[in-house]
Amino acid sequence: MNNPLNTGTIIAAVVGLAVSQASAETAHIFWKDLRPATQAVAEDANLPMIAAKLPDHGETLSLDLQDKTIQLSGYALPVDREGDLVYQFLLVPWTGACSHMPTPPPNQIVLVTPAHPYTMKEAYEPVAVTGVLKPGMEKSQLFILDGVLIVQSGYTVRKAEVASVDSVPDAVTLPVNSPWNFLNKKKN
């Protein structure tokens, strides 16, 4: 008693269940999840962390998230681009990181390779990245206004899905008296 309609319904149900389980397994994480709990956060210092001031230079990574599918929001700083198409970028927790102000520690930088080139109009665009997180130090070369900068990231996400977002929930807001407070972007 093979009924093709019932078989099709069962296949659709199994596929639907697999898709819902895959999205349920995505861990929505915050920047604090990428550093040891004992490490100071940027807000504690009233300005973004400088890796050189940390005992481990920010090289202690969270292995709890290794090979897990995560979603993290931050600001995209292009590493490899052609016009508006970005093939690789650094995801950082605040605007201005690396080019206008001190570089965050490696455990607060994610090197992202999108599954498809991402169209970006400006640096430090707020985005959400979804993909498999891999801890491991990598160096990237950034071409910034006043020269070349080598930036070390503590994590990578390859074949990432990238989506534009309005805001980053746990972004560091620079203090009003900071010379870089113009970087506190607000969308109208």
mmCIF file of all heavy atoms in Angstrom, residues 128-148:
data_model
loop_
_atom_site.group_PDB
_atom_site.id
_atom_site.type_symbol
_atom_site.label_atom_id
_atom_site.label_comp_id
_atom_site.label_asym_id
_atom_site.label_seq_id
_atom_site.Cartn_x
_atom_site.Cartn_y
_atom_site.Cartn_z
ATOM 1 N N ALA A 128 25.391 40.808 10.868
ATOM 2 C CA ALA A 128 25.300 39.579 11.652
ATOM 3 C C ALA A 128 25.910 38.479 10.798
ATOM 4 O O ALA A 128 25.591 38.339 9.615
ATOM 5 C CB ALA A 128 23.855 39.250 11.992
ATOM 6 N N VAL A 129 26.801 37.706 11.393
ATOM 7 C CA VAL A 129 27.509 36.638 10.704
ATOM 8 C C VAL A 129 27.045 35.312 11.298
ATOM 9 O O VAL A 129 27.008 35.153 12.525
ATOM 10 C CB VAL A 129 29.033 36.802 10.886
ATOM 11 C CG1 VAL A 129 29.781 35.590 10.399
ATOM 12 C CG2 VAL A 129 29.510 38.054 10.184
ATOM 13 N N THR A 130 26.696 34.370 10.418
ATOM 14 C CA THR A 130 26.304 33.032 10.859
ATOM 15 C C THR A 130 27.180 32.018 10.151
ATOM 16 O O THR A 130 27.331 32.060 8.925
ATOM 17 C CB THR A 130 24.822 32.753 10.522
ATOM 18 O OG1 THR A 130 24.007 33.780 11.097
ATOM 19 C CG2 THR A 130 24.384 31.399 11.067
ATOM 20 N N GLY A 131 27.776 31.121 10.936
ATOM 21 C CA GLY A 131 28.625 30.084 10.370
ATOM 22 C C GLY A 131 29.352 29.324 11.464
ATOM 23 O O GLY A 131 29.130 29.554 12.656
ATOM 24 N N VAL A 132 30.234 28.432 11.054
ATOM 25 C CA VAL A 132 30.975 27.589 11.994
ATOM 26 C C VAL A 132 32.210 28.341 12.482
ATOM 27 O O VAL A 132 33.036 28.780 11.681
ATOM 28 C CB VAL A 132 31.374 26.253 11.334
ATOM 29 C CG1 VAL A 132 32.200 25.404 12.289
ATOM 30 C CG2 VAL A 132 30.131 25.490 10.891
ATOM 31 N N LEU A 133 32.325 28.491 13.796
ATOM 32 C CA LEU A 133 33.432 29.226 14.410
ATOM 33 C C LEU A 133 34.631 28.307 14.609
ATOM 34 O O LEU A 133 34.507 27.213 15.162
ATOM 35 C CB LEU A 133 32.986 29.793 15.760
ATOM 36 C CG LEU A 133 33.967 30.728 16.448
ATOM 37 C CD1 LEU A 133 34.028 32.062 15.700
ATOM 38 C CD2 LEU A 133 33.557 30.965 17.887
ATOM 39 N N LYS A 134 35.784 28.775 14.155
ATOM 40 C CA LYS A 134 37.032 28.028 14.316
ATOM 41 C C LYS A 134 38.036 28.899 15.065
ATOM 42 O O LYS A 134 38.446 29.940 14.558
ATOM 43 C CB LYS A 134 37.629 27.673 12.952
ATOM 44 C CG LYS A 134 36.752 26.832 12.079
ATOM 45 C CD LYS A 134 36.969 25.388 12.360
ATOM 46 C CE LYS A 134 36.218 24.563 11.327
ATOM 47 N NZ LYS A 134 36.173 23.185 11.695
ATOM 48 N N PRO A 135 38.418 28.524 16.282
ATOM 49 C CA PRO A 135 39.474 29.251 16.980
ATOM 50 C C PRO A 135 40.817 28.991 16.310
ATOM 51 O O PRO A 135 41.060 27.896 15.804
ATOM 52 C CB PRO A 135 39.461 28.662 18.388
ATOM 53 C CG PRO A 135 38.230 27.858 18.490
ATOM 54 C CD PRO A 135 37.835 27.489 17.104
ATOM 55 N N GLY A 136 41.669 29.987 16.294
ATOM 56 C CA GLY A 136 42.997 29.846 15.720
ATOM 57 C C GLY A 136 43.496 31.197 15.240
ATOM 58 O O GLY A 136 42.761 31.949 14.617
ATOM 59 N N MET A 137 44.722 31.505 15.555
ATOM 60 C CA MET A 137 45.294 32.802 15.190
ATOM 61 C C MET A 137 45.573 32.889 13.691
ATOM 62 O O MET A 137 46.121 31.960 13.108
ATOM 63 C CB MET A 137 46.598 33.046 15.960
ATOM 64 C CG MET A 137 46.432 33.088 17.448
ATOM 65 S SD MET A 137 45.441 34.504 17.940
ATOM 66 C CE MET A 137 45.535 34.342 19.691
ATOM 67 N N GLU A 138 45.161 33.995 13.106
ATOM 68 C CA GLU A 138 45.450 34.283 11.697
ATOM 69 C C GLU A 138 45.804 35.752 11.569
ATOM 70 O O GLU A 138 45.260 36.588 12.286
ATOM 71 C CB GLU A 138 44.233 33.982 10.813
ATOM 72 C CG GLU A 138 44.053 32.515 10.557
ATOM 73 C CD GLU A 138 43.334 32.231 9.257
ATOM 74 O OE1 GLU A 138 43.489 32.989 8.278
ATOM 75 O OE2 GLU A 138 42.617 31.231 9.230
ATOM 76 N N LYS A 139 46.697 36.045 10.660
ATOM 77 C CA LYS A 139 47.071 37.435 10.414
ATOM 78 C C LYS A 139 46.473 37.898 9.092
ATOM 79 O O LYS A 139 46.465 37.145 8.121
ATOM 80 C CB LYS A 139 48.586 37.602 10.389
ATOM 81 C CG LYS A 139 49.198 37.405 11.763
ATOM 82 C CD LYS A 139 50.674 37.667 11.775
ATOM 83 C CE LYS A 139 51.190 37.463 13.209
ATOM 84 N NZ LYS A 139 52.596 37.722 13.308
ATOM 85 N N SER A 140 45.970 39.136 9.091
ATOM 86 C CA SER A 140 45.407 39.744 7.894
ATOM 87 C C SER A 140 46.102 41.071 7.661
ATOM 88 O O SER A 140 46.473 41.771 8.605
ATOM 89 C CB SER A 140 43.909 39.997 8.072
ATOM 90 O OG SER A 140 43.231 38.802 8.322
ATOM 91 N N GLN A 141 46.246 41.408 6.407
ATOM 92 C CA GLN A 141 46.878 42.671 6.038
ATOM 93 C C GLN A 141 45.779 43.645 5.618
ATOM 94 O O GLN A 141 45.021 43.377 4.701
ATOM 95 C CB GLN A 141 47.851 42.427 4.894
ATOM 96 C CG GLN A 141 48.679 43.612 4.527
ATOM 97 C CD GLN A 141 49.743 43.239 3.487
ATOM 98 O OE1 GLN A 141 49.815 42.133 3.007
ATOM 99 N NE2 GLN A 141 50.557 44.210 3.148
ATOM 100 N N LEU A 142 45.712 44.771 6.329
ATOM 101 C CA LEU A 142 44.732 45.819 6.016
ATOM 102 C C LEU A 142 45.443 46.992 5.374
ATOM 103 O O LEU A 142 46.508 47.396 5.834
ATOM 104 C CB LEU A 142 44.056 46.337 7.287
ATOM 105 C CG LEU A 142 43.026 45.481 7.970
ATOM 106 C CD1 LEU A 142 42.527 46.183 9.221
ATOM 107 C CD2 LEU A 142 41.877 45.174 7.053
ATOM 108 N N PHE A 143 44.833 47.514 4.337
ATOM 109 C CA PHE A 143 45.349 48.734 3.727
ATOM 110 C C PHE A 143 44.504 49.871 4.263
ATOM 111 O O PHE A 143 43.328 49.981 3.941
ATOM 112 C CB PHE A 143 45.284 48.644 2.201
ATOM 113 C CG PHE A 143 46.185 47.569 1.658
ATOM 114 C CD1 PHE A 143 45.704 46.296 1.416
ATOM 115 C CD2 PHE A 143 47.526 47.837 1.438
ATOM 116 C CE1 PHE A 143 46.538 45.299 0.939
ATOM 117 C CE2 PHE A 143 48.375 46.843 0.962
ATOM 118 C CZ PHE A 143 47.876 45.572 0.709
ATOM 119 N N ILE A 144 45.091 50.682 5.137
ATOM 120 C CA ILE A 144 44.366 51.787 5.747
ATOM 121 C C ILE A 144 44.929 53.104 5.219
ATOM 122 O O ILE A 144 45.930 53.113 4.511
ATOM 123 C CB ILE A 144 44.422 51.714 7.296
ATOM 124 C CG1 ILE A 144 45.862 51.683 7.790
ATOM 125 C CG2 ILE A 144 43.646 50.505 7.794
ATOM 126 C CD1 ILE A 144 46.008 51.701 9.280
ATOM 127 N N LEU A 145 44.284 54.167 5.567
ATOM 128 C CA LEU A 145 44.608 55.483 5.030
ATOM 129 C C LEU A 145 46.088 55.832 5.118
ATOM 130 O O LEU A 145 46.676 56.327 4.175
ATOM 131 C CB LEU A 145 43.769 56.546 5.750
ATOM 132 C CG LEU A 145 43.823 57.941 5.173
ATOM 133 C CD1 LEU A 145 43.367 57.940 3.725
ATOM 134 C CD2 LEU A 145 42.980 58.879 6.003
ATOM 135 N N ASP A 146 46.700 55.545 6.250
ATOM 136 C CA ASP A 146 48.096 55.954 6.438
ATOM 137 C C ASP A 146 49.093 54.800 6.307
ATOM 138 O O ASP A 146 50.200 54.881 6.807
ATOM 139 C CB ASP A 146 48.268 56.675 7.772
ATOM 140 C CG ASP A 146 47.775 55.858 8.947
ATOM 141 O OD1 ASP A 146 47.159 54.805 8.721
ATOM 142 O OD2 ASP A 146 48.008 56.276 10.087
ATOM 143 N N GLY A 147 48.704 53.700 5.646
ATOM 144 C CA GLY A 147 49.654 52.616 5.416
ATOM 145 C C GLY A 147 49.028 51.246 5.515
ATOM 146 O O GLY A 147 47.830 51.067 5.340
ATOM 147 N N VAL A 148 49.859 50.282 5.838
ATOM 148 C CA VAL A 148 49.449 48.885 5.940
ATOM 149 C C VAL A 148 49.480 48.493 7.412
ATOM 150 O O VAL A 148 50.386 48.878 8.146
ATOM 151 C CB VAL A 148 50.393 47.982 5.118
ATOM 152 C CG1 VAL A 148 50.040 46.519 5.295
ATOM 153 C CG2 VAL A 148 50.356 48.370 3.653
#
